[in-house]
Amino acid sequence: MDRCYSIVGVSDVTTGFGSPEVPALMDSLARHFGCPALLIQPDEISRRPPSGPISPRVDVEHVCSTWETHTPPYAIEYLRHAAARVNRLRPEVLVVFSGFTFPLLARLRYRPRLVIYHCYELAGRDWRSTQVHRLLARKVDIITFPETMRAVLDTQACHFRGIPKVILYNCGTELTQSPPQPVPWDCRNGRILYSGTISPGVALSEYFWQEDTARLPIDITGRIVARSDEQAQQIAARLTGSLRYFGLLEPEQLAAMRGRYAYSLLMWNPKISPNHHYAAPNRLFQSIQAGVPPIAAPHPQCREIIRRFDCGILMHDWSFEAFRQALHQALTLYGTPRYKQLVENCLGAARRELNWEAQFRKLLPLIEACWNKESLPCAS
Amino acid sequence: MPKFIVVDPSIQGYQGHFYEYAQRVLHAARAQGYEPHLATHRRFRVPEDLPWPVYRLYRCAYWPTHRERTWVLWLKRLGTAVSALLGVWLLRLYFSRLGLFLESLRYYAVRPARLARKLPFPYGLLLLVPLLPVAVLAWPLRWLAGKLFRLLWRVLRPAVRLARHLYAYRRQLLITLWADRKLRDLARGTARLLRRVELQEGDVVFLSLVSEAELLGLLRLFQRCPQAKRATWHLVFRHQLYRPDQWHSPGEEHRLLRSALYRLVREEAPGRVFLYADTEDLVQQYESLGVAPVGELPIPVPRQYHRQRRLHPGSPCRVAYVGDARAQKGYHLLPRLVEDLWPEVEQGRVVFHFQSNFNVPLGSAETDVARWQLRSFDPRWVRLEMAPLDSEQYREMIVGADVLLVPYEPVAYYAGSSGIFAEALAAGVPVVCPAPTWMARQLAPVQQAYLEHLWPTLGQGQNVPAAQWHWDGPEPPLAEEGYLWLVPGREHRARLVCPEGATMLGLVVQRLEPDRDDPVLVKVQQRDEFGLCVAQHSAVLYAGGGVQRALVPLHPQAVQVELHWRPTGPWAPMRLYGVQCQWFSLSGGEAIPLSAVGVIYAEAEEELTASVREVLRHLEHYKQTALRFSGSWAQYHNAEMLIAQVQQALGRREASTLPNQPGPSHRPDTVKVPRAA
């Protein structure tokens, strides 16, 4: 007999490999309503299935598939399974993560009491996605966005006006990991960490193999995106000089080593898509939580956070000159009282506002407004 | 008794300034011995206690309304429901077993080997074999379908192209259709008014918001009802003709307006039509059309606002935003401001009070998102008014504020007035507004007067003329004659090193030429020893106002200052004479207010929060100076003065007719603001 779940979430990714706000939101909802939650997640071939629940309150159901990851048949099969499961369990609270799982709402045979749509990628990115969102928008009670301009663009394109919405920064931390322990500001290794996709043009990785950059102490980890293995090897071979490439690390390893770095580097090419321009990177908040000041390109959210909390260094623009100048500024500043101030500002910001609990509190008034405070059937 | 008839088809209810404006003007007209009449939209519900007749005549307001006819609404809803049902059905079909099968066929159509691999042998082969005859037959069917489609397309192509063309220009078409409908409605409605109210010599007809459509409507009216010309017609323009970066020189887009004005004012009704605008800038713009002189009218702020600012001793400072929640009015900037000032909220020093009703159903995307963000804050500290305010609530909100935000978009408001701004100043409430706007233009002389009195008290500063600054770029903007030559569209940057011990930076410009209303903006960025920006302020300098000064407090960590000089306005360069900066070393802990009555900022994202903090830091000073300024402001901006201006235009005004009134051409003077304590 199925266990009773009053809160069910349908994820678009395998948890534990990024997007920590997915399990974080489920855990927070389970805690708020006082009952267990179930997270249904797909099988992504490059990511391991979970070995157990992601938290005492959240069980995980991993849906395997024979179809290739993120192909249309894969999406259809996964969503059919998830919809059948949701229709059988009939949870009171349904959480839908991203536009990939949004069409699930068309297959529901009942109306959950609360439907939360965590829209963490641009919903109106193409015509088909926009139409699907417009069709099903009225089935959603609350929409959460990670960034303000994305909220505006999606509200405009997908007709989300009038639907309660809230901006939740991507401040979630992996539930299976212990909170980062800040390393004192004067015990850092003096190097800059770049962890993310290495992709010329998209992530501006071509800046790493300029002559000026080769002399800078930068550690790089992440997947190289290239057309072929040969090209990927060539890219890896260009990360020379003072640059060190660590390959693809496990999230736990990355979290453990992040705190030792002087700075963390964040940048994407804004011309690729609005998603890239209005980036809402987890890494920004992970760095700040670890007390590692970010060096960020002037994506609007990065600009807002760094300026408000004075907790990092902002490039003037996305040019190589601005990149170079920002890195030089950062290295000059390292070890000075000003650097100490940046580290303290990071930790202060993380304590006050840039943590998941503070972000989830923003959602509570909307949940209360959509709910009449009755306890759920499966509450313990 | 001569009549004073206010014609305003935009009065449909109490929302917006239209009804308030008309009420104030008519009260003042009645006090001047006129018999007031009001002509409104047909939807207006007349209050029972209104002391003058109301004629509900018009169907078209100035702006198109979003209320559609019932049958149109029902049709739209039906269409939406049908397409939604169809869409959901298709979606369910796509995510069904059949959808999975079709999608897998489509996806693997070019990869039959992969598809066959998915199924165990020999099932893969058995699946492919029956598909062979289908594939063989499909080719001729496809050919036939292609032929039919091409034939159909040849027939339908012209119609489709026309439809696409019309669709691409639908906005312009709709605007033209709307304007045509509006002008016919104005002519018809006003003709009906003339049948009910007989116009005599000496009567005044006042249209408070006019554009080309209204002018053409009046032209049609005068042609069909010559008796309309017995009265004088007073038309008020409120909208900008030019963008901030355009010369005030009419282009082809103004041809219709100028032609309509010419025919109305010079040919059809010479001497019967009088033109007005409510700001100096708009007067210049409409006079640039070269048709007729344009008078300036004050904003009719009622006496109930004058010096009525409420005091809340011991209470947190109330920061207010009044007016519809619109992106044009800067509503989307408010969540960020609240987040930035949250430490002050937690200390119990600040609360927010924002009017948050939309002027269109559901608002725009930016205002919708902003309002939901504001609703996530504790309502004890961020209070939102979600419904339109009536007159009393509106007035209470303004006079009850300690700081009023007017964060309007400069492009939309650089020449147009703001009634809310005028009312706040009349009440003595400090304001925060952007430059370059009309609001900044009003505050700038007061700010300069304050700095002029303050300057000698700052002591002997260390002077550094512009020629000694380090200018970026190959060509510093220094002319041989010693003035700064600033080219619009370019930013000129200079760097200065902060001397040891300096705590404030003063900027002085002796003279700006040519005399234009567009200010020069100076962004002052302070950088620490590592080149990081630690503070940013903006100075707004206007030509024609004598010596221009700005004062910037230096951040303790600042070692270098960057001055970014940017002239606003059209192409001609500006010349700045006698430009220098002065470094002041004031004894530790002094905090000097940087302005008076209000604060002007240039870049909302960087400076709005700092501007509000500046007012909060010196709240008493700004309150006192705002209260003192309100006297001369309210002396000019009131409905009685408006009526006086109209009468003067008619040539009937005599200097001593009204007791205790200044001369009709009085404008708020540069009030001598006493130096800060």
Side-chain angles (χ1 to χ4, degrees), chain A residues 66 106 161 165 307-308, chain B residues 92 118 339-340 363 368 606:
Chain A
T66 55
R161 283 178 298 166
K165 45 187 73 76
R307 286 209 167 134
R308 183 182 311 151
Chain B
R92 291 174 68 93
K118 292 261 174 223
E339 283 173 354
D340 287 346
D368 178 68
E606 315 293 343

Side-chain angles (χ1 to χ4, degrees), chain A residues 194 197 199-207 266-279 283 297-299 317-319:
Chain A
Y194 176 84
T197 309
S199 172
V202 176
L204 301 176
S205 306
E206 61 270 24
Y207 291 176
L266 298 143
M267 57 188 185
W268 288 268
N269 186 344
K271 294 178 186 165
I272 299 296
S273 73
N275 256 334
H276 290 80
H277 186 197
Y278 302 114
R283 282 187 276 141
H299 301 281
D317 52 42
W318 284 270
S319 65

Side-chain angles (χ1 to χ4, degrees), chain B residues 193 230 371 384 470 475 482 543 647 657:
Chain B
L193 173 69
R230 287 187 212 146
R371 195 164 82 168
L384 304 181
H470 175 77
E475 293 176 10
Q647 289 177 319
T657 304

Side-chain angles (χ1 to χ4, degrees), chain A residues 56 91 96-97 112 161 169 185 223 265 311 324-325 338 365:
Chain A
V96 177
F97 292 95
R161 283 178 298 166
Y169 295 143
W185 67 278
R223 185 184 302 279
L265 185 56
C311 59
R324 193 188 63 83
Q325 196 178 11
R338 182 80 172 104

